[in-house]
Amino acid sequence: MVSQYGFKFAIHLITNHFGKIVAKVCETLFRKGPLSLGEIIRSTELTPEQVKNSLLVLVQHNCVQAYVPADQFRGEDGSMATVEYLALFDNIIHRLRFPKFLEIAKHQLDDEVSELLHPAHCFFEASQFNPVKCEKVLDGLLRDENPGAIEAVVRESFHKLLKAHYIERCPAPEPVVSTLIKAESAPRKRGSKMAKKFEAPETIEQRVLEAAVPGEAIRFAVTAYTLGNADREAKSDDSSMVNDGDNSGGIANEGSILWRANFEEFIRHLRHKLLVENERKRLDDGAATILSAILDVTKTVEKKVKIEKSAPLSLDSIFTEVTKTEHGRTMTIDRVRASLVQLGCPQRNFDDSYSIDLKSIVEMARNEEVESIVLKRFGSDAYRIFRLLSKSNCFLETDKIAESALVDKKETPRLLYKLWKDNYLYMEKLVVTAAKQSRFMLWKVNKPLLWEYVLDEMYHAALNLSLRLAFEQEKDEDLLHVPADKLVPADKSSEANALQKRYRRLRDVLFLMGSSLMKLDDALMLFHDF
């Protein structure tokens, strides 16, 4: 469930990018859940034209997904179904990460290929690439070439993005989705030893996205990206959509093959990077090299981003992949086996394969992040107390904490109450009645609840930082339109020096706040996306 400040931060991003009217529509969807066009108009008190245009913008930029509830779908007998619109929180927050996504494509592929991702921030049609746009994208490299040569280069760049799964076919515009929670097929017997592990039911957003995404066979199909009209017949494979034009309101489909940036693949790349760098810092370069090789070869079989364990691989397969890397060519198979033990694989699986526990690596990174916050906010004594409770993962009594953490017994209760008051600890009172009644205070770190609280604080900090950044830009907006020759004046007059000083301050402030927001976003991904 998304926190309060998470919604506020998402609405702030929409306001900055698309304006207040679009943000009002998005806020209504966040506040009231999925709504039809008529319900949105009544809730926002905007005109139908304003709401339709806002929905078109949000759908085009992957911020809203339209769908048809299965209980309201009437089939193909000419009657119309009610289309509802759902705000996609994750996709809105991903708008903050576009510079990171472009940098990944630029680093792995090349500059020209990464430039093609700029229109992929929203939906784009393959046939819309024309020589004029390509000349701008490819700079002056192909200015003297004919349009056919330019189209060939764009075709090749598009193929590279598709092969790397950095772009995908757009989802079905209005999939039919069941909004009912599935019940168990057969009731469990009382006392059964084969009790199922509890799994949280799927949310409406998860079911809608699952129904809308194209099948794997055509999602990244190479035959579906041609720049001409030869592949028009392929579009009907996954276009199970509902005709619109009724009073409930649906957004018409253009009937052409559309593409978008695949956020899931970029987030997977960033998660793998965090896993590797965290093990490099905790262990050594050899363990990081081996983990990187394992993740590279198994990423194609990952069905989702938040996998708990890597796909099993044999020792020979791991060794073969490691020796393909620059830093792994000098490693022996014994060195690889020892590093696998360091990575948490002391024993092989039953089928003689190895699998890395990725969930534990993410949890260690989260623990380190929270511990650093406690150290900066509460001091070294509170840090030792929190670290002790975090590692013990059980209730401890106040005197036991003071003794184990080497903190003064008079200072320990004050620090514990301070951590508890700020929601970093969980407390329970235990009353023991014997010859003399005694009361004990027990303390524990409830990690799931703590991580949700820390994530909400991070959203709050990101919102405040974004607001301050917007304030600084608006305050000195006139400097952004000053010609460059006036910022580096030939004379040394006091007026010119003052202008130059203001410009340097604005430049430093924007750079500092922008880089701080990007670092804060790394922490947001650690607690929400990884």
Side-chain angles (χ1 to χ4, degrees):
M1 183 177 178
V2 181
S3 62
Q4 174 188 1
Y5 283 106
F7 284 134
K8 289 183 177 180
F9 183 52
I11 295 168
H12 170 72
L13 291 177
I14 293 296
T15 305
N16 277 355
H17 293 176
F18 307 117
K20 294 182 179 180
I21 294 179
V22 178
K24 187 173 184 179
V25 173
C26 186
E27 182 180 5
T28 302
L29 292 175
F30 275 140
R31 185 161 37 87
K32 296 191 174 183
L35 298 173
S36 65
L37 178 60
E39 292 170 334
I40 297 173
I41 293 173
R42 288 190 294 271
S43 299
T44 59
E45 297 183 353
L46 298 173
T47 65
E49 191 68 23
Q50 287 176 321
V51 173
K52 287 183 179 179
N53 291 337
S54 298
L55 288 174
L56 283 170
V57 170
L58 290 170
V59 170
Q60 184 182 17
H61 288 270
N62 308 316
C63 300
V64 163
Q65 173 66 48
Y67 73 98
V68 177
D71 56 344
Q72 300 180 21
F73 181 63
R74 303 176 186 174
E76 301 179 356
D77 56 353
S79 60
M80 306 306 298
T82 300
V83 179
E84 293 188 352
Y85 299 93
L86 174 70
L88 305 178
F89 173 80
D90 289 345
N91 285 3
I92 295 174
I93 299 299
H94 288 334
R95 300 189 63 81
L96 182 67
R97 298 158 186 159
F98 285 164
K100 295 179 182 179
F101 296 164
L102 292 175
E103 188 64 27
I104 291 172
K106 181 178 178 180
H107 177 72
Q108 288 197 340
L109 303 174
D110 51 56
D111 294 347
E112 289 78 11
V113 174
S114 66
E115 286 294 335
L116 291 182
L117 276 176
H118 282 289
H121 293 163
C122 56
F123 293 177
F124 63 94
E125 184 181 359
S127 62
Q128 288 179 352
F129 282 107
N130 55 63
V132 177
K133 293 183 180 179
C134 295
E135 289 179 359
K136 182 178 180 181
V137 170
L138 301 180
D139 201 17
L141 184 62
L142 296 174
R143 286 179 182 172
D144 297 332
E145 300 287 343
N146 55 51
I150 297 176
E151 182 177 329
V153 173
V154 175
R155 192 185 292 266
E156 180 183 359
S157 299
F158 197 91
H159 176 73
K160 289 180 181 179
L161 287 171
L162 199 59
K163 185 177 181 181
H165 288 187
Y166 286 145
I167 58 175
E168 63 179 351
R169 290 186 68 172
C170 290
E174 294 166 6
V176 179
V177 180
S178 173
T179 56
L180 301 177
I181 300 177
K182 296 180 180 179
E184 293 185 9
S185 56
R188 232 183 343 105
K189 294 181 180 180
R190 177 180 294 182
S192 174
K193 295 182 179 180
M194 300 298 292
K196 292 184 179 180
K197 181 181 177 181
F198 172 76
E199 293 183 1
E202 283 187 329
T203 62
I204 291 291
E205 181 176 349
Q206 290 173 332
R207 290 199 290 271
V208 170
L209 292 178
E210 184 179 355
V213 69
E216 290 295 325
I218 58 176
R219 184 181 179 187
F220 306 107
V222 178
T223 57
Y225 81 93
T226 176
L227 302 180
N229 297 324
D231 61 335
R232 296 286 180 174
E233 67 275 3
K235 69 183 185 333
S236 59
D237 296 341
D238 63 331
S239 298
S240 56
M241 64 191 73
V242 180
N243 294 329
D244 41 282
D246 60 333
N247 295 331
S248 61
I251 295 178
N253 178 49
E254 292 295 333
S256 53
I257 299 178
L258 301 175
W259 302 88
R260 69 175 182 180
N262 183 13
F263 296 148
E264 180 181 337
E265 189 65 28
F266 286 109
I267 295 297
R268 178 181 290 110
H269 176 90
L270 292 172
R271 184 178 193 254
H272 288 178
K273 181 180 178 181
L274 176 132
L275 294 170
V276 172
E277 294 304 321
N278 194 72
E279 293 306 276
R280 190 189 310 277
K281 181 175 63 175
R282 188 176 71 91
L283 301 174
D284 52 36
D285 291 340
T289 300
I290 293 170
L291 178 59
S292 178
I294 292 174
L295 295 176
D296 285 342
V297 73
T298 59
K299 67 180 181 180
T300 55
V301 299
E302 294 181 6
K303 300 299 182 182
K304 58 181 182 179
V305 174
K306 297 181 181 180
I307 59 169
E308 297 186 359
K309 291 186 177 182
S310 64
L313 287 176
S314 65
L315 182 60
D316 291 337
S317 299
I318 296 174
F319 182 70
T320 301
E321 294 299 324
V322 169
T323 53
K324 293 179 181 179
T325 64
E326 181 179 356
H327 298 288
R329 292 170 187 165
T330 58
M331 289 187 182
T332 63
I333 195 168
D334 291 333
R335 174 71 175 87
V336 173
R337 186 183 290 110
S339 293
L340 288 172
V341 173
Q342 286 182 305
L343 290 168
C345 296
Q347 296 178 349
R348 292 174 293 181
N349 297 332
F350 66 93
D351 57 349
D352 198 30
S353 61
Y354 291 84
S355 180
I356 308 296
D357 187 358
L358 305 179
K359 182 180 179 181
S360 65
I361 300 176
V362 173
E363 288 183 352
M364 284 189 290
R366 289 176 177 176
N367 290 336
E368 290 178 1
E369 186 70 28
V370 177
E371 288 170 5
S372 67
I373 295 174
V374 172
L375 178 61
K376 294 176 182 178
R377 182 176 296 183
F378 302 101
S380 58
D381 289 344
Y383 164 75
R384 290 200 299 273
I385 291 174
F386 180 84
R387 185 175 174 85
L388 170 67
L389 292 171
S390 178
K391 288 187 174 296
S392 63
N393 199 27
C394 63
F395 283 103
L396 293 179
E397 197 267 333
T398 306
D399 292 339
K400 178 66 175 178
I401 294 172
E403 179 183 349
S404 301
L406 301 177
V407 180
D408 183 69
K409 285 191 175 182
K410 294 182 179 180
E411 186 72 9
T412 300
R414 186 185 69 83
L415 294 174
L416 287 170
Y417 274 110
K418 193 174 182 180
L419 289 168
W420 170 74
K421 186 178 180 181
D422 288 349
N423 298 318
Y424 282 85
L425 292 182
Y426 179 73
M427 177 187 67
E428 280 195 3
K429 297 178 181 179
L430 178 64
V431 179
V432 178
T433 304
K436 182 181 179 181
Q437 184 173 348
S438 302
R439 188 179 68 171
F440 298 94
M441 308 296 291
L442 302 180
W443 310 85
K444 180 184 178 182
V445 175
N446 191 328
K447 291 182 180 179
L449 292 179
L450 175 60
W451 289 341
E452 289 182 8
Y453 171 74
V454 171
L455 179 61
D456 189 45
E457 280 197 325
M458 289 179 177
Y459 282 130
H460 192 182
L463 176 61
N464 289 339
L465 191 57
S466 298
L467 291 172
R468 181 57 187 271
L469 185 62
F471 169 76
E472 292 291 343
Q473 288 178 330
E474 184 179 357
K475 184 180 69 173
D476 294 326
E477 186 178 4
D478 56 321
L479 291 178
L480 302 177
H481 305 288
V482 175
D485 56 343
K486 290 188 177 182
L487 295 175
V488 187
D491 59 337
K492 299 295 182 180
S493 63
S494 58
E495 183 179 352
N497 290 335
L499 183 64
Q500 191 175 23
K501 186 177 180 180
R502 285 181 57 203
Y503 175 76
R504 287 178 178 176
R505 178 198 171 276
L506 177 62
R507 181 191 60 188
D508 294 342
V509 166
L510 296 183
F511 175 79
L512 178 61
M513 290 187 175
S515 59
S516 298
L517 189 58
M518 289 296 102
K519 289 181 180 179
L520 184 57
D521 180 57
D522 292 337
L524 289 175
M525 287 190 291
L526 173 62
F527 284 88
H528 180 72
D529 299 285
F530 296 167

